Amino acid sequence: MIIAFSVAPAVTETPDAEMSAAVARAVRIVRESGLPNETNAMFTLVEGEWDEVMDVVKRATLAVAEVSPRVSLVLKADIRPGHQDQLHQKVSSLEKHL
């Protein structure tokens, strides 16, 4: 499965530097997980089995919660058992049509 998620402090008075530092805490959890992942300007994608992916999302969310009393989490999942390396295969399939 692939999870695309965005987690950030939900406190609007937070300066941009503090916001990015809080998000970096979450991205660090994802990168240290060892699961395939990518981060772009809007989301972090992580690929793996249900339990391991959800554990990473939970730990990333809790890392942001350590520095903010309120956290926003947006999550989208592509649940497709039996398929691996979809982070790359989906993009490869698209590129063939471009």
Side-chain angles (χ1 to χ4, degrees), residues 77-94:
D78 181 0
I79 303 165
R80 195 172 180 198
H83 290 80
Q84 295 183 354
D85 196 33
Q86 291 300 291
L87 281 177
H88 300 107
Q89 294 299 323
K90 289 177 122 185
V91 175
S92 178
S93 180
L94 170 69

Side-chain angles (χ1 to χ4, degrees), residues 7-89:
V7 60
V11 180
T12 57
E13 305 90 44
T14 304
D16 287 344
E18 289 179 32
M19 180 79 72
S20 62
V23 172
R25 295 170 62 92
V27 173
R28 187 172 296 114
I29 298 289
V30 174
R31 291 185 180 174
E32 290 175 352
S33 75
L35 296 175
N37 66 83
E38 295 178 4
T39 298
N40 59 46
M42 297 290 293
F43 287 94
T44 293
L45 288 79
V46 60
E47 184 173 8
E49 297 300 319
W50 180 277
D51 289 339
E52 60 189 1
V53 170
M54 289 304 197
D55 176 63
V56 170
V57 171
K58 179 180 180 179
R59 290 187 294 118
T61 302
L62 292 175
V64 174
E66 290 176 357
V67 296
S68 177
R70 188 174 183 184
V71 177
S72 171
L73 172 66
V74 176
L75 186 140
K76 181 177 180 179
D78 181 0
I79 303 165
R80 195 172 180 198
H83 290 80
Q84 295 183 354
D85 196 33
Q86 291 300 291
L87 281 177
H88 300 107
Q89 294 299 323

